[in-house]
Amino acid sequence: MSVFKKVRNTINLLKSVDMDQLAKINQQIDLSEAMKSLGQLDERQLKGLMKMLKTKRKKGQSDLPPIDGDFYNLDLKLTEEQRKLQMDVRNFMEDEVRPLVNDHWNRAKFPHEIIEKFKKLNITGVPYEGYGCPNLPFLMEGIIAQEIARVDVSISTFFGVHSGLAMGSIYLCGSEEQKQEWLPKMQKLDAIGAFGLTEPNVGSGVAGGLETTCKFDGENWILNGQKKWIGNATFADVIIIWARDEDSNQVKGFLVRKGNPGFKAEKMEDKMALRIVQNALITLTDCKVPENDRLQKADSFKDTAKVLRMTRAGVAWQAVGCARGAYESALKYTRKREQFGRPIASYQLIQNHLVEMVSNLTAMQTLVFRLSEMQDADLLTDEHASLAKVFCSMRTRDVVSRAREVLGGNGILLEHDVARFVADAEAIYSYEGTKEINSLIVGRAITGYSAFVS
């Protein structure tokens, strides 16, 4: 562009600018910084900004509060670095996952392309020390679980199975050699993990009734049996398999590698919840596993329980994320949806539902925040984790139900996200210990009596 043309364009631009208005804006923000930031936006972002600026607000909308499920501002308890990580995860989920999640959920497909993008966040194995892991507080693992589930519970489950259950089993129960072999590449998401405990006939009774067996033949361990509902198992590089030793009757853990002879994983179809999660029915038929792939520090179900205790807090956080996503989606909808000439958010019955939702959500958030503080202080017990799982999974059910209620007929459409949260809440309610089992764990702790059937 010639100098003359630049000068002419500048003169025309100055003629169109309200200098008084520009002066007022300059008193509130640094215009030079604003111009610099605008210059860094791409075409899509600029168009989005202009669309927002051109949107005409209706009467009474100019001072609407932001849509934020953190009603008690718990984020203020985070450090600046922790808050930045939280927002990095949130922005990633909004930009990379939300645009594709409904389509993949509807087709029961996993978006494998996001794994490469996930690597840049460096959030795998958050609370572990060494092996390339961030070694951050358990609180941040919970915050991350919430942020991922706030957009999609399936992706949060994928992440929890890999980073929590699979990596956690190796971290707590593996030998140093096993940790060195697996944890660094799992932390980088260069190898994906799965966790095989639940069976077709054994769910809540895994502590004493595993049907999958293992037997040492002098050279290898021979595994036989089936596992069901195993997330990530159709594409995982390593699957943690828990089996009952035929000789000692104790539970042992094994690292079963992808492609191991005698190992078969079949994708489970026709689920109504967590449709993106690739759950599998695993069949082990004389599956040979060498001794050096047996988890060397897993000698009984007590060791398995250590892993479950560590990860159960994350499931409670996941329930919070599901509830938060449903609440924020519902609130957004009620502000836009009009009936009888005004937004339905202005009606008493709708506001009652929204207040019940944010009340439940806030109670859940404060509970899990304290739970993670206890975990970081090494005060966490089974009953603490179980109470959180019981309460949060029940309250999440209530929140998503009310979210679906305020959306009316549109509540069953995927385009508004709430329908997905309603379905996925049912999975959270059942896995990582049912309401009944976790209630009995808490009941035993507060009464001193065990009500479990022996």
Side-chain angles (χ1 to χ4, degrees), residues 29-229:
I29 65 171
D30 186 333
L31 274 178
S32 62
E33 284 296 319
M35 292 301 296
K36 187 185 298 182
S37 298
L38 284 171
Q40 294 173 351
L41 298 180
D42 59 30
E43 183 179 355
R44 179 183 63 83
Q45 292 170 321
L46 284 170
K47 286 181 178 179
L49 178 61
M50 288 306 300
K51 183 179 179 180
M52 181 186 71
L53 293 174
K54 288 180 179 179
T55 299
K56 292 184 178 179
R57 293 183 179 274
K58 296 185 179 181
K59 185 178 180 181
Q61 286 188 335
S62 59
D63 55 354
L64 288 178
I67 295 176
D68 184 1
D70 185 7
F71 194 70
Y72 274 12
N73 297 123
L74 290 172
D75 59 352
L76 296 178
K77 292 176 66 70
L78 302 178
T79 66
E80 185 177 340
E81 292 77 12
Q82 290 170 342
R83 178 64 172 159
K84 181 182 182 303
L85 178 57
Q86 179 189 24
M87 295 311 298
D88 285 344
V89 176
R90 181 176 300 181
N91 292 335
F92 173 83
M93 293 302 296
E94 290 290 344
D95 296 341
E96 302 293 345
V97 179
R98 189 180 291 279
L100 55 79
V101 72
N102 281 338
D103 175 61
H104 283 74
W105 194 94
N106 198 36
R107 295 186 294 116
K109 301 294 184 183
F110 185 86
H112 292 277
E113 64 271 22
I114 69 170
I115 294 179
E116 282 297 318
K117 298 175 181 178
F118 247 123
K119 293 180 180 181
K120 299 176 183 177
L121 289 174
N122 190 34
I123 56 174
T124 314
V126 161
Y128 310 141
E129 184 177 359
Y131 314 103
C133 298
N135 191 26
L136 298 175
F138 279 101
L139 174 62
M140 286 312 299
E141 183 179 50
I143 293 289
I144 289 168
Q146 174 194 227
E147 288 299 331
I148 299 176
R150 174 182 166 272
V151 171
D152 183 61
V153 181
S154 289
I155 301 300
S156 180
T157 300
F158 153 75
F159 193 79
V161 168
H162 171 77
S163 181
L165 290 169
M167 288 185 69
S169 297
I170 299 172
Y171 186 77
L172 293 178
C173 302
S175 65
E176 185 58 34
E177 290 76 16
Q178 290 168 337
K179 294 177 185 180
Q180 292 289 351
E181 178 182 2
W182 287 106
L183 292 181
K185 55 188 177 184
M186 292 176 77
Q187 197 282 326
K188 296 177 182 177
L189 290 168
D190 290 335
I192 303 299
F195 180 89
L197 179 61
T198 304
E199 299 178 350
N201 298 321
V202 183
S204 299
V206 293
L210 281 184
E211 295 180 352
T212 299
T213 62
C214 59
K215 186 176 180 62
F216 192 59
D217 68 0
E219 294 184 7
N220 298 290
W221 289 89
I222 311 301
L223 276 58
N224 282 285
Q226 286 188 314
K227 298 292 180 180
K228 192 175 182 180
W229 300 108

Side-chain angles (χ1 to χ4, degrees), residues 139-389:
L139 174 62
M140 286 312 299
E141 183 179 50
I143 293 289
I144 289 168
Q146 174 194 227
E147 288 299 331
I148 299 176
R150 174 182 166 272
V151 171
D152 183 61
V153 181
S154 289
I155 301 300
S156 180
T157 300
F158 153 75
F159 193 79
V161 168
H162 171 77
S163 181
L165 290 169
M167 288 185 69
S169 297
I170 299 172
Y171 186 77
L172 293 178
C173 302
S175 65
E176 185 58 34
E177 290 76 16
Q178 290 168 337
K179 294 177 185 180
Q180 292 289 351
E181 178 182 2
W182 287 106
L183 292 181
K185 55 188 177 184
M186 292 176 77
Q187 197 282 326
K188 296 177 182 177
L189 290 168
D190 290 335
I192 303 299
F195 180 89
L197 179 61
T198 304
E199 299 178 350
N201 298 321
V202 183
S204 299
V206 293
L210 281 184
E211 295 180 352
T212 299
T213 62
C214 59
K215 186 176 180 62
F216 192 59
D217 68 0
E219 294 184 7
N220 298 290
W221 289 89
I222 311 301
L223 276 58
N224 282 285
Q226 286 188 314
K227 298 292 180 180
K228 192 175 182 180
W229 300 108
I230 312 307
N232 303 352
T234 60
F235 61 93
D237 298 285
V238 61
I239 301 92
I240 310 298
I241 295 291
W242 300 94
R244 178 177 53 83
D245 189 343
E246 291 185 17
D247 295 324
S248 68
N249 209 38
Q250 294 293 335
V251 173
K252 289 181 166 54
F254 299 88
L255 296 156
V256 179
R257 300 167 187 260
K258 183 178 183 179
N260 194 313
F263 172 88
K264 181 181 179 182
E266 302 171 87
K267 179 186 174 182
M268 296 177 62
E269 303 285 358
D270 303 325
K271 296 182 300 173
M272 65 161 276
L274 300 184
R275 290 176 54 78
I276 287 177
V277 177
Q278 304 298 290
N279 294 96
L281 172 67
I282 291 175
T283 301
L284 301 154
T285 307
D286 293 330
C287 182
K288 292 184 179 180
V289 179
E291 166 64 14
N292 58 12
D293 277 347
R294 178 180 67 83
L295 289 175
Q296 298 298 304
K297 297 180 182 178
D299 298 312
S300 72
F301 188 76
K302 289 182 178 179
D303 299 309
T304 318
K306 292 178 184 176
V307 180
L308 297 176
R309 183 186 309 122
M310 181 179 67
T311 58
R312 190 160 288 152
V315 177
W317 274 99
Q318 189 180 77
V320 174
C322 178
R324 182 169 181 173
Y327 164 72
E328 292 179 348
S329 297
L331 177 56
K332 179 181 178 181
Y333 177 88
T334 61
R335 288 183 176 184
K336 293 182 177 180
R337 176 69 168 177
E338 292 191 359
Q339 288 289 285
F340 310 109
R342 67 189 206 191
I344 64 173
S346 66
Y347 289 103
Q348 292 180 359
L349 290 176
I350 297 298
Q351 289 193 6
N352 181 67
H353 280 304
L354 292 169
V355 171
E356 290 282 352
M357 292 162 67
V358 78
S359 298
N360 279 324
L361 177 56
T362 303
M364 293 160 58
Q365 287 171 325
T366 53
L367 187 153
V368 294
F369 207 100
R370 175 57 184 156
L371 182 75
S372 289
E373 288 180 336
M374 295 178 72
Q375 192 169 11
D376 284 319
D378 200 25
L379 298 174
L380 183 72
T381 64
D382 287 335
E383 53 266 28
H384 294 143
S386 291
L387 179 63
K389 206 286 181 169

